Amino acid sequence: MSFDPSLLHNNGHTAFANGTGVGIRETGVVEKLLTSYGFIQCSERQARLFFHCSQYNGNLQDLKIGDDVEFEVSLDKRTGKPIAVKLVKIKPEVLPEERISGQVGPDMHASPITKLHGYIHPVVSAIPTHLDGKSAPGQVPTGSVCYERNGEVFYLTYTPDDVERNMHLDTGDRVSFYMETNKHPPALYSDCSTGAVSARNIVLVKKKQMRCQGVVCATKEAFGFIERGDVVKEIFFHYSEFKGDLEALQAGDDVEFSIKERNGKEVATDVRLLPQGTVIFEDISIEHFEGTVAKVIPKVPSKNQNDPLPGRIGARINFSEKELPFGEKDTKSKVTLLDGDHVRFNISVDRRDKLERATNIEILPDTFQFTKESREMGVIAAMRDGFGFIKCVDRDARMFFHFSEVLEESPLHISDEVEFTVVPDMLSAQRNHAVRIKKLPKGTVSFHVQSEQRFIGQVDREATPASAAANKNVSPSKAKEKDAEEGVIAYEDCGVKLTVPYYIKDLEGAALPQLGDKVEFSISEVKRTGLQSAVSIKILNRTGNSKRLLGFVATLKDNFGFIETANHDQEIFFHYSEMCGDVDNLELGDTVEYTLSKGKGNKVSAEKVTKVAPVNGIGEDVGTTVLLGKVTRPLRSVDPSQTEYQGLIEVTEEGASKGQSYPFGIVSMASKADCLQKGELVKFQLCTVVHTSQKMACHIVPQRRALVESVKDQFGFITYEVGESKKLFFHVKEVQDGLELQTGDEVEFSVILNQRTGKCSACNVRRVSEGPKPVATPRPERLVNRLKSITLDDASAPRLVIVRQPRGPDNSKGFSIERKARQPGVID
């Protein structure tokens, strides 16, 4: 190939392809060299230039492929292509062959052109780990190292191939390396420019000291342990290494720390608190999975048990069968798990070792179909703090259970019907306890089997009510009821004469069977013991002439009460021993049935009192007009000194009925517990008594308003006259809407009478209006004027005269140190 220098523009050379501008020198590497021409690979840009040997300034014999040269760029006049002219060989830099120490530092990104940082820093950049060894097409991920020589800091790039044994380097790691000049033409868009110096054969010398994070998992007297957040491992720390308030440090706190080696073991130093929630060990899936318990956690771990996750759950996840471990803390509740349980759970992945485990485990309702365990039924008989006992259908002994074994979140109550599994106690094989307790609908559990056949028989012995059998002189509310004495019914079955016991609680209706009464009944057999008794007993005819009467509970005292008759004009005494059933269930106004009897002194009283379904005591004929009136006579329960039982209300509003008086009884009150006093204003309606056709007041609502006299801590008093007292007590809990009453507030309220003590108090207190705010009384003018006129020199001014010197703690007189006037800003 021939070359004519005269073909170059501007006498053969210029700095730019267009032949304009001042000549600028470039550098490159001889890539190809023939007899009279060659090619140069540019170092500063991606270009390959032709050159003629005549343009080389020097001995052509010394020029070799790979030599660094400096040149200018011109255009070939014939072809119009850029070519290199005025070539000069560059003296090669002698790189040291010894290893150089340096550090890896701040991140750089893979990019087409290598960029050096504009600041000097003792560390440079590691290869970005988020690239995972990959980069964009045409890019090579790079990092950089730095080293110091003669007080200057130099930066060198490197690639993953330059690191020995594919070691991962982090920013700040101390390394050693060789320097090398890249003389080969780079690939397109490569970050390693031709002729640039880079680091190679990089070896890690020392990892940078990193701050670790973790959670305090245990605290002792003078030291503790931290569960590390980077590896599954615990590390010791002494309290002297904690930088903060040691009293506030507790298990579960997030901390950061450094690691040092002492006596051949790693310890945590410079321990500092982190915001709660900083350290996260695991990622929990949002999706729920279902599986089967393959292995349960042993209740009593063996000595060789070192696995912290001994449980196993089998599940099908992503179309493959998996067995996931779980530990004690992974269950949502403490309900006992059994092999084969059908459960729902989330999957937790540990960030440190990628271990998967099941967590938030809960038993599914259909699990008993999978386990096929033997389930028993019973009723909650007793409950204490954290545990209780179940009365079993198939066992004599009551079964112990712990509240943690209840499947539902709703609390259990006494008499609740439940289903459960019986397992041996882990501490004593002879004892059992109930687990996996499930609440059942009312009426599911039955302790008896009742015959469908009905029998006819005759009362051979009367049954005694439980309260009467216990003690006729003791109130059932003060003494627990003993077992009622059973009665006996004689009957025939297939020509065989038989007897069967019965109890008052198994009667149908309120009437009590008496000796000789003909009755119809069914037979119930206890499942557990086989004992039989008569139930659903119905009286067919009665040999005696006793008549059952209807009434309403008017008064309840300590061990007796009074019943308002059906005509609402009298009250009948009864003793609690005559009550058939639990007297504690009686309330004012309850409907009862009773029989009249005469005792000593021909006094009439009620016996065989039975609570029955509520009956409308005021009749159906109730007027719609609401009247205003005033109580002229209270009930005898309010004023025991009066002879009449009924109270009287006089109409006070203008109209045809003004001045008329109407009687009332306990059933007339809108609130049976309300205690109407003489003189109180009320609203009421009128009704007609069925048996006597007498008009009577009903739906009585008192209209009470008064002022709050005083309020203490938890109680107060209202200015309202009740009996002999001018004040009415109330508790702050009775104030509606939780308001804080002040003295002078106007309130509406109800008055209730404590039937046991005979004392009245206010309830349902509602503030109507606020009272005037208390105003501080000003100092009298005469005292103000006197104080203004007093001076220190006034001999007539009041003086403080010491009558007796005080005694100190040691019984000495006065004070040993004389008091002095204190100067501002001076501390003695």
Side-chain angles (χ1 to χ4, degrees):
M1 178 179 178
S2 61
F3 173 75
D4 185 1
S6 64
L7 296 177
L8 292 177
H9 291 234
N10 199 14
N11 293 328
H13 56 85
T14 181
F16 299 96
N18 58 7
T20 62
V22 182
I24 295 178
R25 307 288 288 176
E26 290 190 30
T27 58
V29 178
V30 177
E31 182 190 37
K32 188 174 182 180
L33 185 60
L34 299 177
T35 306
S36 59
Y37 66 94
F39 289 92
I40 298 172
Q41 179 67 47
C42 297
S43 297
E44 285 80 11
R45 58 194 175 98
Q46 294 295 331
R48 187 169 180 262
L49 301 178
F50 168 88
F51 74 93
H52 195 273
C53 291
S54 62
Q55 292 294 319
Y56 176 66
N57 185 11
N59 188 358
L60 195 59
Q61 299 298 324
D62 296 334
L63 188 63
K64 297 181 179 61
I65 295 175
D67 284 348
D68 293 334
V69 293
E70 188 181 57
F71 55 91
E72 292 181 10
V73 179
S74 182
L75 290 180
D76 190 327
K77 188 175 180 181
R78 185 177 58 187
T79 63
K81 294 181 179 179
I83 60 173
V85 297
K86 295 186 178 181
L87 278 70
V88 177
K89 185 176 180 180
I90 301 174
K91 186 178 180 181
E93 179 185 0
V94 180
L95 297 178
E97 286 298 322
E98 75 277 8
R99 277 194 169 271
I100 301 173
S101 295
Q103 285 181 302
V104 182
D107 291 346
M108 292 176 63
H109 303 286
S111 59
I113 301 175
T114 303
K115 298 179 181 178
L116 294 180
H117 292 282
Y119 58 91
I120 300 300
H121 193 276
V123 293
V124 209
S125 67
I127 296 174
T129 56
H130 65 273
L131 294 175
D132 296 328
K134 299 179 181 179
S135 61
Q139 297 181 344
V140 177
T142 64
S144 61
V145 297
C146 71
Y147 67 97
E148 183 180 348
R149 177 161 293 179
N150 299 329
E152 290 188 59
V153 177
F154 300 91
Y155 295 84
L156 301 176
T157 60
Y158 74 95
T159 66
D161 294 336
D162 295 322
V163 183
E164 296 287 338
R165 297 190 297 275
N166 293 325
M167 182 72 68
H168 174 71
L169 299 179
D170 293 314
T171 300
D173 287 348
R174 191 165 295 278
V175 296
S176 67
F177 56 90
Y178 291 106
M179 288 194 298
E180 180 183 66
T181 301
N182 188 353
K183 296 182 180 181
H184 302 287
L188 187 62
Y189 304 123
S190 171
D191 194 31
C192 301
S193 300
T194 303
V197 179
S198 62
R200 64 178 177 84
N201 301 110
I202 301 173
V203 176
L204 177 66
V205 175
K206 184 180 179 182
K207 294 291 288 184
K208 179 189 174 183
Q209 181 65 39
M210 302 291 290
R211 292 285 286 173
C212 299
Q213 295 181 343
V215 175
V216 177
C217 58
T219 55
K220 304 297 181 181
E221 208 168 301
F223 59 91
F225 291 91
I226 300 170
E227 185 175 359
R228 292 174 57 174
D230 54 343
V231 292
V232 183
K233 188 178 181 182
E234 292 181 4
I235 188 168
F236 168 91
F237 75 99
H238 195 272
Y239 286 167
S240 60
E241 292 291 345
F242 180 69
K243 311 301 181 185
D245 183 9
L246 193 59
E247 297 295 329
L249 184 67
Q250 57 186 357
D253 284 345
D254 292 358
V255 293
E256 68 171 359
F257 54 92
S258 299
I259 298 177
K260 290 186 178 179
E261 191 170 309
R262 291 177 182 169
N263 299 327
K265 293 184 178 179
E266 288 185 339
V267 297
T269 61
D270 190 21
V271 182
R272 299 177 186 271
L273 275 178
L274 290 173
Q276 203 68 17
T278 302
V279 182
I280 300 175
F281 291 113
E282 59 192 6
D283 298 309
I284 299 177
S285 66
I286 300 175
E287 183 183 357
H288 284 86
F289 301 90
E290 293 185 7
T292 305
V293 176
K295 180 183 176 184
V296 297
I297 301 174
K299 288 289 184 182
V300 181
S302 61
K303 293 181 179 179
N304 299 326
Q305 177 65 41
N306 295 321
D307 187 359
L309 304 172
R312 296 291 184 271
I313 291 178
R316 186 171 182 81
I317 300 172
N318 296 331
F319 307 103
S320 62
E321 296 294 334
K322 276 191 176 183
E323 192 171 76
L324 299 170
F326 68 93
E328 290 184 358
K329 296 181 180 179
D330 290 319
T331 54
K332 271 194 172 182
S333 65
K334 294 185 178 180
V335 176
T336 301
L337 286 177
L338 297 179
D339 288 340
D341 265 339
H342 190 204
V343 294
R344 180 170 57 190
F345 58 93
N346 299 104
I347 295 179
S348 168
V349 180
D350 197 306
R351 292 185 175 184
R352 298 166 293 180
D353 59 359
K354 307 303 178 185
L355 175 67
E356 291 184 345
R357 78 174 198 279
T359 190
N360 297 332
I361 303 168
E362 55 182 337
I363 299 175
L364 292 174
D366 62 350
T367 187
F368 305 112
Q369 301 173 10
F370 291 81
T371 57
K372 297 180 181 178
E373 61 199 274
S374 176
R375 302 283 285 172
E376 298 188 19
M377 292 191 292
V379 174
I380 303 296
M383 297 177 71
R384 302 287 187 269
D385 291 335
F387 65 92
F389 294 90
I390 300 172
K391 181 183 178 182
C392 304
V393 172
D394 301 319
R395 297 173 186 260
D396 291 332
R398 296 195 305 176
M399 192 65 61
F400 171 88
F401 73 94
H402 198 276
F403 286 176
S404 62
E405 289 290 346
V406 181
L407 288 170
E408 292 87 357
E409 294 183 359
S410 57
L412 288 179
H413 302 90
I414 292 177
S415 299
D416 279 350
E417 299 176 14
V418 292
E419 181 185 64
F420 55 92
T421 301
V422 177
V423 297
D425 194 299
M426 61 182 179
L427 300 178
S428 174
Q430 282 111 18
R431 294 175 56 188
N432 296 325
H433 64 274
V435 298
R436 302 156 67 85
I437 299 165
K438 181 181 178 182
K439 193 173 178 180
L440 298 175
K442 284 289 184 183
T444 305
V445 177
S446 174
F447 291 86
H448 307 82
V449 178
Q450 185 171 329
S451 65
E452 296 181 0
Q453 181 183 356
R454 297 285 287 176
F455 299 89
I456 304 294
Q458 190 173 14
V459 176
D460 200 34
R461 187 177 74 209
E462 292 185 22
T464 307
S467 54
N471 189 344
K472 285 186 177 284
N473 298 319
V474 179
S475 168
S477 62
K478 295 186 177 180
K480 295 292 183 183
E481 294 184 1
K482 297 181 181 178
D483 291 338
E485 186 176 336
E486 64 184 28
V488 176
I489 297 175
Y491 71 103
E492 284 190 10
D493 185 17
C494 300
V496 181
K497 291 185 177 182
L498 301 169
T499 59
V500 64
Y502 78 95
Y503 299 91
I504 297 293
K505 63 182 179 65
D506 296 319
L507 297 175
E508 284 187 357
L512 295 177
Q514 298 177 357
L515 188 65
D517 281 350
K518 191 174 182 181
V519 293
E520 183 184 38
F521 60 94
S522 300
I523 293 180
S524 173
E525 183 177 309
V526 180
K527 290 181 180 179
R528 186 177 67 253
T529 61
L531 294 177
Q532 294 183 340
S533 62
V535 295
S536 303
I537 304 167
K538 184 178 179 181
I539 300 174
L540 298 179
N541 58 30
R542 187 183 292 277
T543 57
N545 296 319
S546 58
K547 184 180 179 182
R548 300 289 287 174
L549 302 174
L550 199 68
F552 308 93
V553 178
T555 307
L556 293 171
K557 298 293 185 181
D558 277 342
N559 54 11
F560 65 92
F562 289 92
I563 299 172
E564 182 182 290
T565 61
N567 294 335
H568 313 291
D569 56 351
Q570 293 181 11
E571 59 180 357
I572 306 296
F573 170 88
F574 76 98
H575 195 273
Y576 286 166
S577 60
E578 295 294 339
M579 181 65 196
C580 300
D582 188 0
V583 73
D584 290 333
N585 292 332
L586 273 186
E587 294 181 359
L588 293 177
D590 281 350
T591 307
V592 293
E593 273 190 352
Y594 61 95
T595 303
L596 288 178
S597 67
K598 289 186 178 181
K600 294 179 181 179
N602 257 356
K603 291 185 177 180
V604 176
S605 64
E607 64 179 15
K608 298 180 180 178
V609 181
T610 306
K611 182 177 177 180
V612 296
V615 174
N616 186 2
I618 59 177
E620 300 294 337
D621 184 19
V622 179
T624 57
T625 306
V626 178
L627 304 174
L628 293 177
K630 181 174 69 174
V631 178
T632 58
R633 185 178 72 201
L635 291 174
R636 188 158 62 190
S637 58
V638 177
D639 184 8
S641 62
Q642 67 188 37
T643 56
E644 298 85 357
Y645 162 71
Q646 285 182 314
L648 285 178
I649 296 177
E650 180 184 332
V651 180
T652 58
E653 67 177 334
E654 297 295 333
S657 59
K658 182 179 181 181
Q660 293 186 18
S661 295
Y662 297 98
F664 69 92
I666 189 68
V667 296
S668 302
M669 305 296 298
S671 172
K672 304 299 185 288
D674 216 333
C675 177
L676 285 181
Q677 303 291 323
K678 183 178 180 179
E680 284 194 306
L681 298 178
V682 295
K683 287 183 179 180
F684 66 97
Q685 295 169 266
L686 293 177
C687 67
T688 304
V689 181
V690 177
H691 301 291
T692 63
S693 300
Q694 180 187 13
K695 291 288 185 182
M696 185 177 75
C698 64
H699 298 162
I700 302 171
V701 179
Q703 304 294 301
R704 300 188 182 100
R705 283 197 179 188
L707 300 179
V708 176
E709 183 194 65
S710 61
V711 179
K712 307 296 183 183
D713 184 21
Q714 295 293 320
F715 61 92
F717 292 93
I718 299 172
T719 307
Y720 189 78
E721 186 174 349
V722 181
E724 298 178 358
S725 177
K726 304 293 184 183
K727 298 184 294 184
L728 183 64
F729 171 88
F730 73 92
H731 197 278
V732 294
K733 291 182 179 178
E734 295 293 343
V735 180
Q736 295 182 1
D737 301 327
L739 298 175
E740 291 187 10
L741 296 180
Q742 304 292 335
T743 302
D745 288 350
E746 186 178 16
V747 293
E748 286 184 348
F749 53 91
S750 299
V751 177
I752 57 172
L753 173 66
N754 188 321
Q755 298 282 344
R756 311 280 194 224
T757 63
K759 294 182 179 180
C760 293
S761 62
C763 67
N764 300 327
V765 182
R766 184 177 68 86
R767 184 167 70 186
V768 178
S769 62
E770 295 188 35
K773 300 294 182 183
V775 180
T777 307
R779 187 187 296 271
E781 190 65 28
R782 59 185 180 79
L783 294 180
V784 175
N785 293 334
R786 177 163 175 74
L787 289 173
K788 289 180 180 179
S789 63
I790 292 177
T791 63
L792 294 177
D793 299 330
D794 190 357
S796 63
R799 290 288 186 271
L800 180 64
V801 179
I802 299 176
V803 178
R804 176 174 58 82
Q805 289 286 352
R807 292 181 179 273
D810 56 352
N811 208 27
S812 61
K813 294 182 179 180
F815 296 95
S816 58
I817 302 176
E818 183 181 355
R819 296 185 66 183
K820 299 178 181 179
R822 179 181 174 276
Q823 298 180 3
V826 178
I827 299 176
D828 295 335

